[in-house]
Amino acid sequence: MMARALAGVVPSQPKEFAAFVVDEETRAAVLQAAAEAGLVEPHVAQSKFEDALRRLRKIPTPKILVVDLGGCPDLIADITRLSEVCDEGTHVIALGDVNDINLYRQFVSFGLHDYFVKPIVPANLAAAMTNAGKETEAATPTDQVGHVVSIIGARGGVGASALAVNVAWTLANEHKRRVALVDLDLFFGTCGLALDLDLGRGFREALENPSRIDGLFIERAMMKCSDKLFVLCAEEALECAINFDATAVELLIDHLRRDFQFVIVDMPRFAARTQSSILTPPSSVAIVTDPSLAGMRDTMRLVGLLKKVAPKAEPSVVLNKSGANSSAELTKADFEKGAEAKVSLVIPYDPKTFGASASTGKALAKVAAGARVTKAVASLAGRLVAIKAPAAKGKGAGLLQRFLGGARA
Ligand SMILES: Nc1ncnc2c1ncn2[C@@H]1O[C@H](COP(=O)(O)OP(=O)(O)OP(=O)(O)O)[C@@H](O)[C@H]1O
Ligand SMILES: [Mg+2]
């Protein structure tokens, strides 16, 4: 749906491509091939195989990957190591110096998309890239794109960011899903802080230059929290104005959902008005609130707003910090009646566990696995996994599977 909304903005050719080559001559040939294949803004790095491996280990690998094996001492072992750092869906085209038909057959039987002996003829490489692009598109049906979960606080300080962080962490570390956590509050966001991450650079530039948003541009702006959890956050100077529109966020999320199984968005309230497309199914929306009168009023207002801007959103309401101030709190039934919305989850007030989590920069599950708040977060993550239950993907799971599993057609 979102891809359709973006038609005309996103180029229809294969979207994500990167190459690692060892010499200048090969780099020029790969660039020419990429241009002939219609790949937009190709990223071609000149680096040795070991450096390429190191880099690929840290990032979501692109849909089409060209790797130069020139100078590698043990090609079969090196191709196996390469398979271990590639995500499912990555098509690898290798380049090398060895002209040996048996080696070529072995590579192809391992699941490598193609192999070319140097010097590279750009037209041949371009044909292989085009072919890999078609396979990529055929292999990515729209119902397999990542699920977007937007978490919106009805009021300040109700725990929306804490929930976003912990749901993302649980999906990544306990359900082994590939997760992108996006903190759309570029000034005051706390997701990076909560996970004790250094601040990412480039998030703001990505949003301000939507035409430059592509897989590698985003990947450079992302902070890696664990093998499966990547975070986009910022702490922009308060005196700076940021100029970006809803389309940039939409484009960013659209890219992320192609690479991640879940995209968790910590969304400031004011953004809910403009980001209607990412709030529309197949996304999920959770409104987090405390059980106060003001929380009830603002939940009702937010539900009303969503009915107007994203009528199909069907937000769930999470009542957080229940029991913090029992004498002034609404009961669940009164809250639901007043807010005209059902509460789908109640999370107790637990300053000890949240305090330990905040002071150590660790997720709730790390500091208190058995706590009721941790279990509540786990149940939310579990429900999301049940909505969207694709097989676990990840480093090594794709190419390696194919490597072990046999020949391609
Ligand atoms: N169930 C809970 N029990 C105790 N403390 C909690 C609970 N949930 C969140 N907190 C704490 O409340 C504080 C505010 O949480 P958080 O920053 O996630 O709120 P927010 O809704 O994102 O706020 P903002 O409006 O500033 O973005 C944090 O210190 C967090 O640790
Ligand atoms: Mg917040």
mmCIF file of all heavy atoms in Angstrom, residues 166-212:
data_model
loop_
_atom_site.group_PDB
_atom_site.id
_atom_site.type_symbol
_atom_site.label_atom_id
_atom_site.label_comp_id
_atom_site.label_asym_id
_atom_site.label_seq_id
_atom_site.Cartn_x
_atom_site.Cartn_y
_atom_site.Cartn_z
ATOM 1 N N ASN A 166 11.544 -1.050 24.667
ATOM 2 C CA ASN A 166 11.520 -2.413 25.215
ATOM 3 C C ASN A 166 10.810 -3.408 24.305
ATOM 4 O O ASN A 166 11.200 -4.572 24.251
ATOM 5 C CB ASN A 166 10.929 -2.391 26.623
ATOM 6 C CG ASN A 166 11.958 -1.874 27.618
ATOM 7 O OD1 ASN A 166 12.899 -2.579 27.969
ATOM 8 N ND2 ASN A 166 11.819 -0.609 28.007
ATOM 9 N N VAL A 167 9.807 -2.936 23.580
ATOM 10 C CA VAL A 167 9.167 -3.828 22.604
ATOM 11 C C VAL A 167 10.178 -4.146 21.493
ATOM 12 O O VAL A 167 10.342 -5.300 21.087
ATOM 13 C CB VAL A 167 7.880 -3.184 22.026
ATOM 14 C CG1 VAL A 167 7.422 -3.900 20.777
ATOM 15 C CG2 VAL A 167 6.780 -3.217 23.076
ATOM 16 N N ALA A 168 10.874 -3.115 21.014
ATOM 17 C CA ALA A 168 11.871 -3.331 19.953
ATOM 18 C C ALA A 168 12.944 -4.307 20.444
ATOM 19 O O ALA A 168 13.326 -5.248 19.737
ATOM 20 C CB ALA A 168 12.494 -1.996 19.546
ATOM 21 N N TRP A 169 13.424 -4.085 21.648
ATOM 22 C CA TRP A 169 14.488 -4.928 22.201
ATOM 23 C C TRP A 169 14.013 -6.385 22.298
ATOM 24 O O TRP A 169 14.734 -7.317 21.948
ATOM 25 C CB TRP A 169 14.902 -4.397 23.575
ATOM 26 C CG TRP A 169 16.157 -5.040 24.105
ATOM 27 C CD1 TRP A 169 17.430 -4.553 24.000
ATOM 28 C CD2 TRP A 169 16.246 -6.299 24.806
ATOM 29 N NE1 TRP A 169 18.308 -5.427 24.592
ATOM 30 C CE2 TRP A 169 17.618 -6.512 25.086
ATOM 31 C CE3 TRP A 169 15.327 -7.246 25.209
ATOM 32 C CZ2 TRP A 169 18.079 -7.638 25.755
ATOM 33 C CZ3 TRP A 169 15.781 -8.380 25.870
ATOM 34 C CH2 TRP A 169 17.148 -8.569 26.141
ATOM 35 N N THR A 170 12.788 -6.561 22.784
ATOM 36 C CA THR A 170 12.260 -7.923 22.963
ATOM 37 C C THR A 170 12.085 -8.625 21.614
ATOM 38 O O THR A 170 12.433 -9.805 21.463
ATOM 39 C CB THR A 170 10.905 -7.861 23.718
ATOM 40 O OG1 THR A 170 11.107 -7.106 24.909
ATOM 41 C CG2 THR A 170 10.403 -9.237 24.082
ATOM 42 N N LEU A 171 11.549 -7.904 20.647
ATOM 43 C CA LEU A 171 11.378 -8.517 19.321
ATOM 44 C C LEU A 171 12.731 -8.947 18.752
ATOM 45 O O LEU A 171 12.859 -10.009 18.147
ATOM 46 C CB LEU A 171 10.712 -7.520 18.359
ATOM 47 C CG LEU A 171 9.220 -7.246 18.595
ATOM 48 C CD1 LEU A 171 8.759 -6.054 17.759
ATOM 49 C CD2 LEU A 171 8.389 -8.483 18.244
ATOM 50 N N ALA A 172 13.735 -8.104 18.970
ATOM 51 C CA ALA A 172 15.054 -8.393 18.388
ATOM 52 C C ALA A 172 15.793 -9.487 19.155
ATOM 53 O O ALA A 172 16.349 -10.404 18.555
ATOM 54 C CB ALA A 172 15.895 -7.111 18.360
ATOM 55 N N ASN A 173 15.765 -9.381 20.472
ATOM 56 C CA ASN A 173 16.634 -10.268 21.249
ATOM 57 C C ASN A 173 15.957 -11.549 21.708
ATOM 58 O O ASN A 173 16.629 -12.548 21.932
ATOM 59 C CB ASN A 173 17.209 -9.515 22.448
ATOM 60 C CG ASN A 173 18.174 -8.443 21.979
ATOM 61 O OD1 ASN A 173 19.289 -8.736 21.601
ATOM 62 N ND2 ASN A 173 17.701 -7.213 21.943
ATOM 63 N N GLU A 174 14.647 -11.519 21.861
ATOM 64 C CA GLU A 174 13.990 -12.750 22.298
ATOM 65 C C GLU A 174 13.268 -13.457 21.163
ATOM 66 O O GLU A 174 13.234 -14.673 21.130
ATOM 67 C CB GLU A 174 13.073 -12.457 23.482
ATOM 68 C CG GLU A 174 13.959 -12.111 24.671
ATOM 69 C CD GLU A 174 13.251 -11.799 25.967
ATOM 70 O OE1 GLU A 174 12.015 -11.835 26.003
ATOM 71 O OE2 GLU A 174 13.977 -11.511 26.935
ATOM 72 N N HIS A 175 12.731 -12.667 20.221
ATOM 73 C CA HIS A 175 12.055 -13.313 19.088
ATOM 74 C C HIS A 175 12.960 -13.401 17.869
ATOM 75 O O HIS A 175 12.544 -13.914 16.835
ATOM 76 C CB HIS A 175 10.765 -12.566 18.740
ATOM 77 C CG HIS A 175 9.733 -12.649 19.827
ATOM 78 N ND1 HIS A 175 8.910 -13.728 19.989
ATOM 79 C CD2 HIS A 175 9.430 -11.790 20.830
ATOM 80 C CE1 HIS A 175 8.118 -13.528 21.035
ATOM 81 N NE2 HIS A 175 8.424 -12.366 21.575
ATOM 82 N N LYS A 176 14.156 -12.859 17.987
ATOM 83 C CA LYS A 176 15.156 -12.954 16.923
ATOM 84 C C LYS A 176 14.661 -12.370 15.604
ATOM 85 O O LYS A 176 14.905 -12.921 14.529
ATOM 86 C CB LYS A 176 15.611 -14.415 16.702
ATOM 87 C CG LYS A 176 16.116 -15.103 17.963
ATOM 88 C CD LYS A 176 17.387 -14.453 18.469
ATOM 89 C CE LYS A 176 17.867 -14.993 19.789
ATOM 90 N NZ LYS A 176 18.597 -14.082 20.617
ATOM 91 N N ARG A 177 13.901 -11.299 15.688
ATOM 92 C CA ARG A 177 13.472 -10.608 14.477
ATOM 93 C C ARG A 177 14.427 -9.448 14.212
ATOM 94 O O ARG A 177 14.994 -8.891 15.143
ATOM 95 C CB ARG A 177 12.043 -10.066 14.624
ATOM 96 C CG ARG A 177 10.998 -11.132 14.891
ATOM 97 C CD ARG A 177 10.977 -12.172 13.796
ATOM 98 N NE ARG A 177 9.729 -12.881 13.724
ATOM 99 C CZ ARG A 177 9.520 -14.089 14.246
ATOM 100 N NH1 ARG A 177 10.494 -14.714 14.864
ATOM 101 N NH2 ARG A 177 8.347 -14.671 14.118
ATOM 102 N N ARG A 178 14.546 -9.090 12.939
ATOM 103 C CA ARG A 178 15.356 -7.913 12.614
ATOM 104 C C ARG A 178 14.496 -6.669 12.816
ATOM 105 O O ARG A 178 13.432 -6.544 12.213
ATOM 106 C CB ARG A 178 15.824 -7.978 11.161
ATOM 107 C CG ARG A 178 17.135 -8.718 10.984
ATOM 108 C CD ARG A 178 17.501 -8.833 9.531
ATOM 109 N NE ARG A 178 17.646 -7.526 8.881
ATOM 110 C CZ ARG A 178 18.687 -6.721 9.038
ATOM 111 N NH1 ARG A 178 19.682 -7.060 9.831
ATOM 112 N NH2 ARG A 178 18.743 -5.581 8.395
ATOM 113 N N VAL A 179 14.958 -5.782 13.676
ATOM 114 C CA VAL A 179 14.110 -4.653 14.094
ATOM 115 C C VAL A 179 14.830 -3.317 13.882
ATOM 116 O O VAL A 179 16.004 -3.168 14.227
ATOM 117 C CB VAL A 179 13.749 -4.785 15.597
ATOM 118 C CG1 VAL A 179 12.841 -3.645 16.032
ATOM 119 C CG2 VAL A 179 13.077 -6.128 15.886
ATOM 120 N N ALA A 180 14.084 -2.360 13.322
ATOM 121 C CA ALA A 180 14.573 -0.977 13.274
ATOM 122 C C ALA A 180 13.723 -0.177 14.244
ATOM 123 O O ALA A 180 12.494 -0.237 14.201
ATOM 124 C CB ALA A 180 14.415 -0.415 11.864
ATOM 125 N N LEU A 181 14.389 0.536 15.142
ATOM 126 C CA LEU A 181 13.682 1.421 16.071
ATOM 127 C C LEU A 181 13.948 2.858 15.616
ATOM 128 O O LEU A 181 15.104 3.269 15.486
ATOM 129 C CB LEU A 181 14.215 1.185 17.492
ATOM 130 C CG LEU A 181 13.750 2.148 18.583
ATOM 131 C CD1 LEU A 181 12.249 2.085 18.788
ATOM 132 C CD2 LEU A 181 14.465 1.823 19.912
ATOM 133 N N VAL A 182 12.868 3.592 15.331
ATOM 134 C CA VAL A 182 13.024 4.943 14.790
ATOM 135 C C VAL A 182 12.435 5.938 15.783
ATOM 136 O O VAL A 182 11.241 5.887 16.085
ATOM 137 C CB VAL A 182 12.285 5.071 13.433
ATOM 138 C CG1 VAL A 182 12.472 6.464 12.850
ATOM 139 C CG2 VAL A 182 12.764 4.009 12.459
ATOM 140 N N ASP A 183 13.277 6.820 16.300
ATOM 141 C CA ASP A 183 12.806 7.843 17.240
ATOM 142 C C ASP A 183 12.579 9.132 16.446
ATOM 143 O O ASP A 183 13.539 9.806 16.050
ATOM 144 C CB ASP A 183 13.870 8.053 18.334
ATOM 145 C CG ASP A 183 13.335 8.931 19.458
ATOM 146 O OD1 ASP A 183 12.358 9.658 19.226
ATOM 147 O OD2 ASP A 183 13.910 8.878 20.566
ATOM 148 N N LEU A 184 11.303 9.422 16.205
ATOM 149 C CA LEU A 184 10.999 10.585 15.353
ATOM 150 C C LEU A 184 11.076 11.913 16.102
ATOM 151 O O LEU A 184 10.858 12.957 15.521
ATOM 152 C CB LEU A 184 9.609 10.430 14.731
ATOM 153 C CG LEU A 184 9.534 9.564 13.470
ATOM 154 C CD1 LEU A 184 8.125 9.603 12.901
ATOM 155 C CD2 LEU A 184 10.539 9.982 12.418
ATOM 156 N N ASP A 185 11.368 11.860 17.404
ATOM 157 C CA ASP A 185 11.575 13.117 18.126
ATOM 158 C C ASP A 185 13.056 13.469 18.031
ATOM 159 O O ASP A 185 13.880 13.030 18.844
ATOM 160 C CB ASP A 185 11.140 12.949 19.586
ATOM 161 C CG ASP A 185 11.165 14.281 20.330
ATOM 162 O OD1 ASP A 185 11.824 15.217 19.830
ATOM 163 O OD2 ASP A 185 10.556 14.374 21.399
ATOM 164 N N LEU A 186 13.391 14.233 16.991
ATOM 165 C CA LEU A 186 14.806 14.501 16.711
ATOM 166 C C LEU A 186 15.444 15.454 17.710
ATOM 167 O O LEU A 186 16.661 15.578 17.769
ATOM 168 C CB LEU A 186 14.983 15.042 15.283
ATOM 169 C CG LEU A 186 15.081 13.973 14.204
ATOM 170 C CD1 LEU A 186 13.761 13.322 13.932
ATOM 171 C CD2 LEU A 186 15.676 14.522 12.934
ATOM 172 N N PHE A 187 14.622 16.152 18.493
ATOM 173 C CA PHE A 187 15.171 17.088 19.476
ATOM 174 C C PHE A 187 15.262 16.477 20.876
ATOM 175 O O PHE A 187 16.272 16.576 21.546
ATOM 176 C CB PHE A 187 14.296 18.351 19.539
ATOM 177 C CG PHE A 187 14.389 19.199 18.317
ATOM 178 C CD1 PHE A 187 13.363 19.220 17.393
ATOM 179 C CD2 PHE A 187 15.508 19.976 18.082
ATOM 180 C CE1 PHE A 187 13.440 20.011 16.259
ATOM 181 C CE2 PHE A 187 15.610 20.775 16.954
ATOM 182 C CZ PHE A 187 14.567 20.788 16.031
ATOM 183 N N PHE A 188 14.172 15.848 21.308
ATOM 184 C CA PHE A 188 14.110 15.403 22.698
ATOM 185 C C PHE A 188 13.996 13.884 22.847
ATOM 186 O O PHE A 188 13.686 13.396 23.930
ATOM 187 C CB PHE A 188 12.894 16.056 23.397
ATOM 188 C CG PHE A 188 12.995 17.552 23.496
ATOM 189 C CD1 PHE A 188 12.234 18.364 22.666
ATOM 190 C CD2 PHE A 188 13.854 18.141 24.406
ATOM 191 C CE1 PHE A 188 12.321 19.752 22.754
ATOM 192 C CE2 PHE A 188 13.937 19.528 24.499
ATOM 193 C CZ PHE A 188 13.178 20.332 23.675
ATOM 194 N N GLY A 189 14.180 13.160 21.747
ATOM 195 C CA GLY A 189 13.994 11.704 21.786
ATOM 196 C C GLY A 189 14.910 11.034 22.807
ATOM 197 O O GLY A 189 16.019 11.504 23.082
ATOM 198 N N THR A 190 14.423 9.926 23.388
ATOM 199 C CA THR A 190 15.207 9.264 24.438
ATOM 200 C C THR A 190 15.551 7.808 24.109
ATOM 201 O O THR A 190 16.116 7.106 24.943
ATOM 202 C CB THR A 190 14.434 9.293 25.784
ATOM 203 O OG1 THR A 190 13.105 8.805 25.547
ATOM 204 C CG2 THR A 190 14.366 10.675 26.360
ATOM 205 N N CYS A 191 15.206 7.349 22.907
ATOM 206 C CA CYS A 191 15.450 5.927 22.592
ATOM 207 C C CYS A 191 16.948 5.591 22.638
ATOM 208 O O CYS A 191 17.350 4.559 23.186
ATOM 209 C CB CYS A 191 14.878 5.568 21.222
ATOM 210 S SG CYS A 191 13.076 5.578 21.208
ATOM 211 N N GLY A 192 17.764 6.472 22.065
ATOM 212 C CA GLY A 192 19.210 6.221 22.054
ATOM 213 C C GLY A 192 19.765 6.198 23.477
ATOM 214 O O GLY A 192 20.564 5.345 23.853
ATOM 215 N N LEU A 193 19.276 7.146 24.267
ATOM 216 C CA LEU A 193 19.720 7.262 25.661
ATOM 217 C C LEU A 193 19.339 5.992 26.432
ATOM 218 O O LEU A 193 20.137 5.435 27.197
ATOM 219 C CB LEU A 193 18.993 8.470 26.271
ATOM 220 C CG LEU A 193 19.586 9.150 27.486
ATOM 221 C CD1 LEU A 193 20.958 9.701 27.166
ATOM 222 C CD2 LEU A 193 18.649 10.286 27.948
ATOM 223 N N ALA A 194 18.119 5.533 26.211
ATOM 224 C CA ALA A 194 17.627 4.366 26.955
ATOM 225 C C ALA A 194 18.443 3.115 26.643
ATOM 226 O O ALA A 194 18.523 2.207 27.463
ATOM 227 C CB ALA A 194 16.157 4.132 26.617
ATOM 228 N N LEU A 195 19.035 3.077 25.450
ATOM 229 C CA LEU A 195 19.812 1.886 25.076
ATOM 230 C C LEU A 195 21.317 2.140 25.161
ATOM 231 O O LEU A 195 22.117 1.342 24.677
ATOM 232 C CB LEU A 195 19.425 1.442 23.652
ATOM 233 C CG LEU A 195 18.012 0.855 23.540
ATOM 234 C CD1 LEU A 195 17.565 0.793 22.090
ATOM 235 C CD2 LEU A 195 17.937 -0.519 24.189
ATOM 236 N N ASP A 196 21.665 3.275 25.745
ATOM 237 C CA ASP A 196 23.064 3.630 25.951
ATOM 238 C C ASP A 196 23.847 3.640 24.638
ATOM 239 O O ASP A 196 24.948 3.093 24.546
ATOM 240 C CB ASP A 196 23.682 2.616 26.942
ATOM 241 C CG ASP A 196 24.987 3.143 27.520
ATOM 242 O OD1 ASP A 196 25.185 4.369 27.460
ATOM 243 O OD2 ASP A 196 25.811 2.331 27.985
ATOM 244 N N LEU A 197 23.237 4.265 23.612
ATOM 245 C CA LEU A 197 23.897 4.298 22.301
ATOM 246 C C LEU A 197 24.536 5.647 22.064
ATOM 247 O O LEU A 197 24.031 6.673 22.527
ATOM 248 C CB LEU A 197 22.855 4.073 21.192
ATOM 249 C CG LEU A 197 22.180 2.714 21.150
ATOM 250 C CD1 LEU A 197 21.100 2.713 20.079
ATOM 251 C CD2 LEU A 197 23.197 1.621 20.872
ATOM 252 N N ASP A 198 25.634 5.627 21.286
ATOM 253 C CA ASP A 198 26.181 6.898 20.830
ATOM 254 C C ASP A 198 25.170 7.477 19.857
ATOM 255 O O ASP A 198 24.420 6.734 19.226
ATOM 256 C CB ASP A 198 27.498 6.675 20.085
ATOM 257 C CG ASP A 198 28.570 6.219 21.041
ATOM 258 O OD1 ASP A 198 28.440 6.527 22.238
ATOM 259 O OD2 ASP A 198 29.500 5.534 20.584
ATOM 260 N N LEU A 199 25.207 8.798 19.703
ATOM 261 C CA LEU A 199 24.205 9.380 18.821
ATOM 262 C C LEU A 199 24.556 9.167 17.369
ATOM 263 O O LEU A 199 25.710 9.322 16.969
ATOM 264 C CB LEU A 199 24.076 10.859 19.109
ATOM 265 C CG LEU A 199 23.258 11.103 20.364
ATOM 266 C CD1 LEU A 199 23.292 12.543 20.748
ATOM 267 C CD2 LEU A 199 21.830 10.630 20.147
ATOM 268 N N GLY A 200 23.534 8.814 16.592
ATOM 269 C CA GLY A 200 23.752 8.613 15.169
ATOM 270 C C GLY A 200 23.836 9.955 14.468
ATOM 271 O O GLY A 200 23.231 10.913 14.897
ATOM 272 N N ARG A 201 24.640 9.993 13.414
ATOM 273 C CA ARG A 201 24.657 11.207 12.607
ATOM 274 C C ARG A 201 23.948 10.882 11.302
ATOM 275 O O ARG A 201 23.970 9.758 10.850
ATOM 276 C CB ARG A 201 26.097 11.637 12.340
ATOM 277 C CG ARG A 201 26.742 12.292 13.538
ATOM 278 C CD ARG A 201 27.843 13.227 13.078
ATOM 279 N NE ARG A 201 28.838 12.511 12.295
ATOM 280 C CZ ARG A 201 29.961 12.023 12.818
ATOM 281 N NH1 ARG A 201 30.200 12.178 14.078
ATOM 282 N NH2 ARG A 201 30.832 11.387 12.054
ATOM 283 N N GLY A 202 23.334 11.842 10.723
ATOM 284 C CA GLY A 202 22.803 11.613 9.383
ATOM 285 C C GLY A 202 21.307 11.361 9.347
ATOM 286 O O GLY A 202 20.719 11.381 8.271
ATOM 287 N N PHE A 203 20.674 11.126 10.487
ATOM 288 C CA PHE A 203 19.229 10.904 10.474
ATOM 289 C C PHE A 203 18.532 12.155 9.928
ATOM 290 O O PHE A 203 17.704 12.104 9.040
ATOM 291 C CB PHE A 203 18.768 10.590 11.900
ATOM 292 C CG PHE A 203 17.320 10.220 12.029
ATOM 293 C CD1 PHE A 203 16.562 9.848 10.924
ATOM 294 C CD2 PHE A 203 16.701 10.229 13.273
ATOM 295 C CE1 PHE A 203 15.222 9.500 11.056
ATOM 296 C CE2 PHE A 203 15.367 9.887 13.416
ATOM 297 C CZ PHE A 203 14.629 9.539 12.302
ATOM 298 N N ARG A 204 18.954 13.281 10.471
ATOM 299 C CA ARG A 204 18.367 14.536 10.034
ATOM 300 C C ARG A 204 18.625 14.791 8.544
ATOM 301 O O ARG A 204 17.726 15.177 7.803
ATOM 302 C CB ARG A 204 18.964 15.657 10.875
ATOM 303 C CG ARG A 204 18.611 17.019 10.399
ATOM 304 C CD ARG A 204 19.576 18.019 10.976
ATOM 305 N NE ARG A 204 19.359 19.298 10.342
ATOM 306 C CZ ARG A 204 19.588 20.431 10.921
ATOM 307 N NH1 ARG A 204 20.036 20.452 12.145
ATOM 308 N NH2 ARG A 204 19.376 21.539 10.289
ATOM 309 N N GLU A 205 19.880 14.548 8.113
ATOM 310 C CA GLU A 205 20.180 14.753 6.683
ATOM 311 C C GLU A 205 19.319 13.853 5.813
ATOM 312 O O GLU A 205 18.851 14.249 4.762
ATOM 313 C CB GLU A 205 21.648 14.461 6.359
ATOM 314 C CG GLU A 205 22.614 15.534 6.776
ATOM 315 C CD GLU A 205 23.419 15.076 7.984
ATOM 316 O OE1 GLU A 205 22.921 15.251 9.125
ATOM 317 O OE2 GLU A 205 24.505 14.532 7.798
ATOM 318 N N ALA A 206 19.108 12.614 6.283
ATOM 319 C CA ALA A 206 18.289 11.682 5.503
ATOM 320 C C ALA A 206 16.883 12.257 5.322
ATOM 321 O O ALA A 206 16.333 12.223 4.226
ATOM 322 C CB ALA A 206 18.216 10.326 6.205
ATOM 323 N N LEU A 207 16.340 12.817 6.405
ATOM 324 C CA LEU A 207 14.980 13.340 6.309
ATOM 325 C C LEU A 207 14.915 14.627 5.502
ATOM 326 O O LEU A 207 13.921 14.913 4.838
ATOM 327 C CB LEU A 207 14.410 13.577 7.715
ATOM 328 C CG LEU A 207 14.130 12.312 8.511
ATOM 329 C CD1 LEU A 207 13.613 12.656 9.900
ATOM 330 C CD2 LEU A 207 13.115 11.428 7.797
ATOM 331 N N GLU A 208 16.004 15.402 5.579
ATOM 332 C CA GLU A 208 15.986 16.673 4.843
ATOM 333 C C GLU A 208 16.286 16.497 3.358
ATOM 334 O O GLU A 208 16.046 17.403 2.571
ATOM 335 C CB GLU A 208 16.983 17.654 5.474
ATOM 336 C CG GLU A 208 16.454 18.215 6.778
ATOM 337 C CD GLU A 208 17.292 19.350 7.330
ATOM 338 O OE1 GLU A 208 18.512 19.367 7.077
ATOM 339 O OE2 GLU A 208 16.727 20.210 8.012
ATOM 340 N N ASN A 209 16.836 15.345 3.007
ATOM 341 C CA ASN A 209 17.160 15.095 1.595
ATOM 342 C C ASN A 209 16.517 13.789 1.138
ATOM 343 O O ASN A 209 17.201 12.811 0.876
ATOM 344 C CB ASN A 209 18.682 14.974 1.403
ATOM 345 C CG ASN A 209 19.394 16.220 1.867
ATOM 346 O OD1 ASN A 209 19.382 17.231 1.183
ATOM 347 N ND2 ASN A 209 19.998 16.143 3.041
ATOM 348 N N PRO A 210 15.202 13.787 1.037
ATOM 349 C CA PRO A 210 14.525 12.522 0.717
ATOM 350 C C PRO A 210 15.043 11.862 -0.552
ATOM 351 O O PRO A 210 15.050 10.633 -0.654
ATOM 352 C CB PRO A 210 13.062 12.921 0.571
ATOM 353 C CG PRO A 210 12.947 14.347 0.889
ATOM 354 C CD PRO A 210 14.278 14.906 1.230
ATOM 355 N N SER A 211 15.516 12.663 -1.502
ATOM 356 C CA SER A 211 15.967 12.051 -2.763
ATOM 357 C C SER A 211 17.223 11.214 -2.538
ATOM 358 O O SER A 211 17.562 10.365 -3.353
ATOM 359 C CB SER A 211 16.230 13.123 -3.808
ATOM 360 O OG SER A 211 17.269 13.949 -3.332
ATOM 361 N N ARG A 212 17.910 11.468 -1.434
ATOM 362 C CA ARG A 212 19.143 10.700 -1.168
ATOM 363 C C ARG A 212 18.895 9.473 -0.299
ATOM 364 O O ARG A 212 19.808 8.701 -0.036
ATOM 365 C CB ARG A 212 20.179 11.609 -0.493
ATOM 366 C CG ARG A 212 20.774 12.619 -1.460
ATOM 367 C CD ARG A 212 21.782 13.495 -0.752
ATOM 368 N NE ARG A 212 22.903 12.732 -0.212
ATOM 369 C CZ ARG A 212 23.697 13.183 0.756
ATOM 370 N NH1 ARG A 212 23.473 14.348 1.289
ATOM 371 N NH2 ARG A 212 24.702 12.463 1.188
#
